[in-house]
Amino acid sequence: MALQHDLWILVFATHPDTAITVFRDQAQIVAEPRLREIALDYDRAHDLDPGDRRIDALARRIVDATRDRYGTGDLPGYGAASAIPALIQGAVNASSPAWHRLDTLIRQQLGV
């Protein structure tokens, strides 16, 4: 929770025009039970070994949910020129080797 809190402050401070769009999208995600469960599983993956097979399965679930929700277009508030994804993922990936691997797998599967 502390990391998420700090990241929201950083996003709002550096990208105030886009932050509200991203925040609303995240609020909708946690309001949907299936997506909330994926978010909780992502959180639980923090302390897993980066080679744990559950990371591969979670990456596939995240990619499938992302494609179901957004299709193949840009994510809300994350246009091609947006610095927000790198800002967030840099902090997230530095906090957990498992999350870093998860991010790598997701990016590979989404082709970004």
Side-chain angles (χ1 to χ4, degrees):
M1 288 301 279
L3 176 60
Q4 187 175 43
H5 176 265
D6 292 347
L7 287 172
W8 279 119
I9 290 171
L10 186 59
V11 169
F12 271 93
T14 59
H15 299 82
D17 296 340
T18 312
I20 195 66
T21 301
V22 176
F23 187 80
R24 285 183 181 141
D25 185 58
Q26 291 298 306
Q28 291 171 357
I29 287 170
V30 297
E32 188 174 324
R34 180 178 73 93
L35 298 177
R36 182 176 50 247
E37 188 60 35
I38 291 172
L40 291 170
D41 288 345
Y42 181 96
D43 187 58
R44 292 179 197 116
H46 181 273
D47 295 324
L48 293 177
D49 182 276
D52 192 306
R53 290 181 192 237
R54 290 176 286 183
I55 293 174
D56 296 272
L58 180 56
R60 282 189 297 277
R61 287 175 53 214
I62 291 171
V63 168
D64 290 345
T66 300
R67 287 185 176 142
D68 287 348
R69 185 167 170 82
Y70 306 106
T72 58
D74 288 332
L75 303 178
Y78 296 115
S82 177
I84 294 174
L87 182 70
I88 293 171
Q89 284 313 125
V92 169
N93 291 347
S95 72
S96 164
W99 282 353
H100 184 261
R101 180 155 182 275
L102 190 55
D103 179 52
T104 301
L105 291 171
I106 292 166
R107 287 174 184 278
Q108 287 172 348
Q109 292 176 35
L110 287 175
V112 292

